[in-house]
């Protein structure tokens, strides 16, 4: 988000993914969204209480707030995206038990796993700019081992 905000106005991003960020739930995402042509996708996980709950309450978030972060419970949409026109390009996805199959057990480190990133994150970078991007990954590339993972919504 900080990088997107700092880009010159003539530099555009297609899609941006935030995976359980340690940002305050009211952090204004509007400046970043103005540089994104596609979708800003936010994955949050209500069971990541150690780092994104207690950790950010005691040590602070990246935007210097001392509270549970948006990566734990989601952004407060009215405060985080103040421009109503940009809200249609902001998507929040909560962790669910369906992610267990990809190795994400509901902690902070699940976002580092190859299978989770392939199944949940990669489709937003491999597809067009629409919010329906996760319907994409179907087959492994030639020479790649294993079968493709199903996309869970």
């Amino acid at each position: 988000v900080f990088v997107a905000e700092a880009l010159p106005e003539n530099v555009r991003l297609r899609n941006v993914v935030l995976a359980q960020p340690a940002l305050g739930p009211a952090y204004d995402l509007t400046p970043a969204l103005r540089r994104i042509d596609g979708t800003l996708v936010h994955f949050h996980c209500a069971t990541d209480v150690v780092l994104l709950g207690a950790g950010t309450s005691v040590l602070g978030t990246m935007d210097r707030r001392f509270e549970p972060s948006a990566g734990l419970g989601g952004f407060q949409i009215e405060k985080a995206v103040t421009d109503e026109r940009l809200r249609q390009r902001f998507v929040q996805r909560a962790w669910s038990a369906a992610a267990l199959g990809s190795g994400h057990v509901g902690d902070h480190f699940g976002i580092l796993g190859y299978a989770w990133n392939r199944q949940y994150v990669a489709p937003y970078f491999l597809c067009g700019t629409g919010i329906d991007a996760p319907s994409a990954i179907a087959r492994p590339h030639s020479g790649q081992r294993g079968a493709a993972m199903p996309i869970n919504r």
Side-chain angles (χ1 to χ4, degrees):
V1 171
F2 298 145
V3 171
E5 294 170 349
L7 291 173
E9 289 191 30
N10 64 331
V11 176
R12 308 297 304 163
L13 300 171
R14 183 168 53 164
N15 293 322
V16 171
V17 173
L18 299 176
Q20 295 171 224
L23 285 169
Y27 183 81
D28 188 3
L29 299 169
T30 304
L33 273 163
R34 288 192 175 119
R35 289 176 174 72
I36 300 168
D37 291 331
T39 305
L40 173 58
V41 183
H42 171 240
F43 290 95
H44 58 96
C45 182
T47 57
D48 188 357
V49 294
V50 174
L51 290 177
L52 298 179
T56 56
S57 294
V58 172
L59 302 173
T61 62
M62 293 172 27
D63 55 322
R64 298 184 177 114
R65 306 287 307 190
F66 293 88
E67 61 188 350
S69 73
L72 180 69
F75 283 97
Q76 298 167 359
I77 190 74
E78 295 81 18
K79 293 179 181 177
V81 185
T82 55
D83 185 336
E84 290 185 30
R85 295 169 296 157
L86 295 175
R87 288 184 191 158
Q88 65 187 350
R89 294 192 287 114
F90 178 60
V91 176
Q92 299 199 78
R93 296 189 65 196
W95 179 89
S96 73
L100 289 169
S102 69
H104 190 321
V105 298
D107 63 4
H108 196 68
F109 302 102
I111 61 175
L112 300 176
Y114 172 83
W116 184 81
N117 277 282
R118 182 168 191 263
Q119 185 171 348
Y120 291 93
V121 177
Y124 289 101
F125 295 112
L126 299 174
C127 302
T129 60
I131 62 172
D132 216 14
S135 61
I137 295 181
R139 295 183 186 90
H141 298 291
S142 61
Q144 183 178 0
R145 294 182 185 169
M149 298 182 141
I151 300 299
N152 294 325
R153 290 191 178 257

